[in-house]
Amino acid sequence: MDIRDKITEQPSRYDHLEQMSVSELLTHINEEDQRVAEAVRRSLPQIEAIVEAVERRMMRGGRLFYVGAGTSGRLGVLDASELPPTFGVPDTWVVGVIAGGEQALRHAVEGAEDREEQGWNDLLAYLPTADDTVIGIAASGTTPYVIGAVRQARQHGLLTGCITSNPHTPLAHEVEYPIETIVGPEFVTGSSRMKSGTAQKMVLNMISTSLMIRLGRVQGNRMVDMQLTNDKLIDRGTRIIQESLGLDYEEARERLLQAGTVRDGLE
């Protein structure tokens, strides 16, 4: 795929950014950000299809892996890492894999994304099975590390999907369930950490939250399995029990702490 064909690399709709006031910069960035939600809305049928497919596999004990490099990899790791405290699930249910390993979460690892074979090699450390799913994340849709990972995953019988900001990419060609959020050129030309990254975060939120709800980790609209790791979460859990059972605050708090989870405190 030629770089000239990538929407993510096309010139910004704005020029002479260095001559703009702060107000102008913020206004135009906000104008561009408003395009993101609409791009994600257009992708809802694609997102729905992969959520339903992943749900079936996770019901059988399968796991979900996000694979990415740079910003895309960091967003995958972020989404995966937030699920255990939010929904009380093991950190093995959803796993983020980033090119260059943990070091790449804070620092660029030169050339890590260009190693096509390394993506699958990194997944092998988790002993993947045919019930698992791999979702490759790459705004460009051309990242070798991600393409190699999903290609090998599919060949080994895993379910595969992707999130990209360009249409008809090599990455989308490799997977069964492509998600294409076409957000248009970035405000700063080629800076896919902006609109493309925002779209990726929105889609990852949709996928993981929908899966957790479908897998029974929410009751009503409440996070009944959240980990009670700080005072804020203990207070939130206390108020859930208080409102649900009609107890006073201290009774609800004592019930929660004795039970250990909101779910058990409600029984």
Side-chain angles (χ1 to χ4, degrees):
M1 187 177 189
D2 192 290
I3 191 171
R4 292 169 296 184
D5 297 327
K6 297 178 183 178
I7 295 175
T8 51
E9 295 292 338
Q10 290 178 1
S12 171
R13 296 182 176 92
Y14 306 85
D15 203 355
H16 307 298
L17 304 186
E18 73 281 4
Q19 298 176 19
M20 292 183 183
S21 67
V22 172
S23 176
E24 289 172 323
L25 289 170
L26 299 179
T27 296
H28 294 321
I29 291 171
N30 179 250
E31 288 170 352
E32 287 300 297
D33 284 345
Q34 292 179 50
R35 302 175 186 270
V36 177
E38 176 58 26
V40 173
R41 187 195 65 79
R42 293 193 297 267
S43 301
L44 287 178
Q46 296 177 323
I47 301 169
E48 178 183 358
I50 194 169
V51 168
E52 291 180 342
V54 175
E55 178 191 357
R56 291 191 292 269
R57 293 195 171 216
M58 293 190 77
M59 289 290 288
R60 301 198 300 261
R63 299 163 293 175
L64 172 58
F65 292 93
Y66 299 135
V67 178
T71 297
S72 299
R74 294 182 189 104
L75 289 170
V77 172
L78 172 65
D79 191 73
S81 67
E82 290 177 337
L83 301 183
T86 304
F87 298 105
V89 299
D91 58 12
T92 54
W93 276 31
V94 181
V95 179
V97 179
I98 182 171
E102 290 192 11
Q103 180 184 352
L105 293 174
R106 291 180 174 82
H107 306 284
V109 178
E110 296 297 332
E113 69 176 56
D114 298 328
R115 302 167 191 159
E116 185 171 311
E117 75 288 346
Q118 193 59 45
W120 178 245
N121 288 342
D122 288 347
L123 283 170
L124 287 176
Y126 297 93
L127 304 177
T129 74
D131 280 334
D132 295 332
T133 301
V134 175
I135 296 179
I137 314 169
S140 68
T142 59
T143 307
Y145 178 90
V146 180
I147 291 173
V150 299
R151 178 185 295 141
Q152 288 294 321
R154 188 172 183 180
Q155 290 178 3
H156 285 80
L158 282 71
L159 187 74
T160 57
C162 72
I163 306 170
T164 180
S165 296
N166 284 308
H168 315 301
T169 62
L171 176 59
H173 178 73
E174 295 286 350
V175 305
E176 298 141 287
Y177 292 93
I179 298 170
E180 297 171 325
T181 54
I182 312 304
V183 296
E186 297 288 358
F187 180 69
V188 176
T189 298
S191 182
S192 56
R193 58 178 284 274
M194 300 186 75
K195 288 192 298 180
S196 292
T198 301
Q200 290 170 354
K201 181 68 167 68
M202 292 174 70
V203 173
L204 290 168
N205 280 348
M206 288 175 147
I207 291 172
S208 59
T209 303
S210 297
L211 285 170
M212 293 300 105
I213 293 170
R214 298 287 295 174
L215 293 170
R217 311 307 291 195
V218 171
Q219 288 184 2
N221 58 16
R222 306 298 180 88
M223 298 179 289
V224 294
D225 292 315
M226 63 184 175
Q227 296 176 359
L228 306 175
T229 53
N230 58 47
D231 289 341
K232 178 188 74 174
L233 298 179
I234 292 173
D235 177 69
R236 181 184 297 161
T238 298
R239 293 184 185 282
I240 292 173
I241 292 175
Q242 180 185 19
E243 293 168 7
S244 299
L245 300 183
L247 305 176
D248 66 34
Y249 185 88
E250 289 304 321
E251 287 178 321
R253 188 175 191 276
E254 182 178 354
R255 185 181 181 98
L256 172 67
L257 295 177
Q258 287 181 347
T261 69
V262 174
R263 181 186 296 274
D264 290 341
L266 289 172
E267 293 182 352

